[in-house]
Amino acid sequence: EVDASEKVCNGLPGADGMNGADGRDGLDALVAIADEPSGGNCAEGGKRIDSGLDANRDGRLDVGEITTTDYLCNGAPGAPGADGAPGADGRDSLVAMNPEPVGLNCPNGGLRIDAGIDSNANGSLDPAEITQTGFVCDGGDGGVGWGVATLVETNDIGSAAVAQVSMGSDGSAVAVWQQWTGLLREIRVNRYQVGVGWGIAEALPMPQIQNGDASGPRVAMDAAGNALAVWQWQDRDTLRYSLWVNHFPVGSGWKVAESLVASDTADMRDPQVAMDSAGNAVAVWIQRDDTTRGIRARHYDADSGWGPVEAIQPDTAVSASTPWIAMGANGNAVAVWVQWDATAGRHIRASLFAPGTGWSTPVEIGAEVADLPRVAMDATGNAVAVWEKESTDGTRTGIWASLYQAGGGWGAATLIEPGDTGKGADPWVAMDANGNALVAWKRREASGEPWNIWANRYAAGTGWEGARLIETHNAGRANSPRLVMDPAGNATVVWSQFRGTGIRDIWSNRYVANAGWGRAELVEANDAGAANDPWVAMDPAGNAIAVWNQADSTNSQPRYDIWANRWLAPQ
């Protein structure tokens, strides 16, 4: 127990404990408080607070179970008075600990730690005196919440990067990434099965193509777990890029890769792919010659296979870049991209695909100077597109959005982040089955300040609810937010965050439908190397899988591995 009259100063209470392992009763969160002598951690002495999960279930917090340590330091003596008399003693700082019920703060319950100044000097930490609150959460029964990070790539020859993951309705998943083998870059995959775990990573079967490198893999899955992967391949002699595709039919494994586009002259890059629940898919990419770049697409029918290549944005004197694709139901899709020319600048364009009809005439949905468009679509054909847009004076960028109502066209572009100050970048968007949407992005208030992660929700029939900060860990900048939603409107955001001394971690926050955002928490706690470039997928039940690349500091040569962790949703 904690004596609320201990004289300690403010400090950040311990972070959430790690979740219990799958298949066992949840582990209890424990906290140990001890005197901290005067010295480097607390100049005037204070308290050391250790927290963690009771891994061996003996009711004590052993040294090996400590995952977080914080210090609550005594205040410095008051300054001497003008006559040299000692200054008055400062007010005491107090800490109190109480059970935390099951809820957004701790999905499985735990402990709440409050700290603050004893302003009225009554020896108790009154509610009005609480200035800091932290939680140490119990592990989940059967692994509810994030599990333990798993290495899903074991090739020790060269670095792995650009990991992506997609999930099926049964909770299975496929992760893809690019891997250096010592001679070339190839595309590797691994598959997750519920109750089995991750398999053995394998290279995607390629025809006997030599003297080239594969990169930029993308993957999509349907409800049954069938998968489709696309990537670009560069010939080292001609430097020309071509596109390749591979299928994973459930029960038969990966097929041999085939060329997505038959051409000996065109240069094709930046492929993107999306798949609906029935197994229909659409791939989009940039196709260029010496002077122009246009957007091309190809539709895959689950019954009849690939259709013809179509020009969404025909080649003209303008340049097209950064395409993105999303699908609804029955093969419907929406594509967005950046359109640029020397006169009009960079604009956002969009086109819709319907089986039997093809692609609609592109329309402009965002004016200059715009970049990095993303789009999501619900099952009924409504869509939300987001992008970053530079201010007219060129001093900042904001996050903008446009809504598409099925059968009604695109709405006006709307600024969805606060005010005319700061800078927003790298937006991400997802939709649920009811037309609600969530957008996440990184934002900083001024140059030199850290990037934080923000979000805004669109409620169908109501509008945007307002931007809010969903990450408050200010030790370093946050990057690469990635967002997914399930059909019921629950969502998970993951990102990479600096933690001083060059360490980067993967963090997450979860939005629960009809309840709101929870608290940011670690996805991985491996301090052996920096973690970067996360990606996340979610199944219809709200379970999620995150993948990322992480530096392996145990190797004599710099190398990145691919890691994964799974969020098990409460049932």
Side-chain angles (χ1 to χ4, degrees), residues 7-10 43-46 72-78 90-93:
K7 298 180 179 179
V8 293
C9 65
N10 288 329
E44 304 296 331
L72 303 181
C73 301
N74 294 329
R91 295 294 188 189
D92 294 336
S93 292

Side-chain angles (χ1 to χ4, degrees), residues 79-100:
D83 58 357
D89 292 338
R91 295 294 188 189
D92 294 336
S93 292
L94 303 179
V95 60
M97 187 166 63
N98 294 287
E100 176 66 17

Side-chain angles (χ1 to χ4, degrees), residues 137-330:
C137 300
D138 294 337
D141 295 344
V144 171
W146 290 110
V148 178
T150 302
L151 183 66
V152 300
E153 166 273 323
T154 55
N155 181 355
D156 291 335
I157 297 175
S159 280
V162 195
Q164 276 204 353
V165 65
S166 187
M167 295 184 72
S169 292
D170 64 350
S172 63
V174 169
V176 300
W177 62 89
Q178 65 189 48
Q179 180 100 41
W180 176 249
T181 68
L183 297 174
L184 52 82
R185 280 198 310 270
E186 63 185 10
I187 304 302
R188 294 206 164 209
V189 299
N190 202 339
R191 187 164 179 257
Y192 176 88
Q193 298 181 73
V194 177
V196 177
W198 290 98
I200 298 174
E202 58 180 315
L204 284 183
M206 284 281 290
Q208 296 301 311
I209 297 177
Q210 304 297 324
N211 198 35
D213 296 287
S215 62
R218 301 290 185 259
V219 65
M221 290 184 78
D222 66 13
N226 303 299
L228 183 68
V230 299
W231 64 94
Q232 60 191 26
W233 184 86
Q234 185 183 33
D235 186 291
R236 292 181 181 176
D237 292 329
T238 66
L239 301 183
R240 184 178 65 86
Y241 282 88
S242 57
L243 300 184
W244 292 80
V245 61
N246 205 329
H247 293 82
F248 177 87
V250 173
S252 60
W254 290 97
K255 297 181 178 293
V256 175
E258 58 181 319
S259 175
L260 183 62
V261 183
S263 174
D264 294 327
T265 58
D267 187 271
M268 296 160 282
R269 305 187 186 190
D270 198 10
Q272 308 292 334
V273 66
M275 185 176 270
D276 67 15
S277 60
N280 305 300
V282 174
V284 296
W285 63 90
I286 304 167
Q287 187 158 316
R288 66 181 183 179
D289 58 24
D290 292 336
T291 59
T292 62
R293 286 194 293 183
I295 303 297
R296 296 288 191 273
R298 199 174 181 192
H299 182 264
Y300 177 84
D301 185 275
D303 296 322
S304 58
W306 288 102
V309 175
E310 298 182 75
I312 305 179
Q313 174 60 54
D315 296 334
T316 63
V318 301
S319 178
S321 63
T322 58
W324 203 257
I325 186 73
M327 292 194 74
N330 304 317

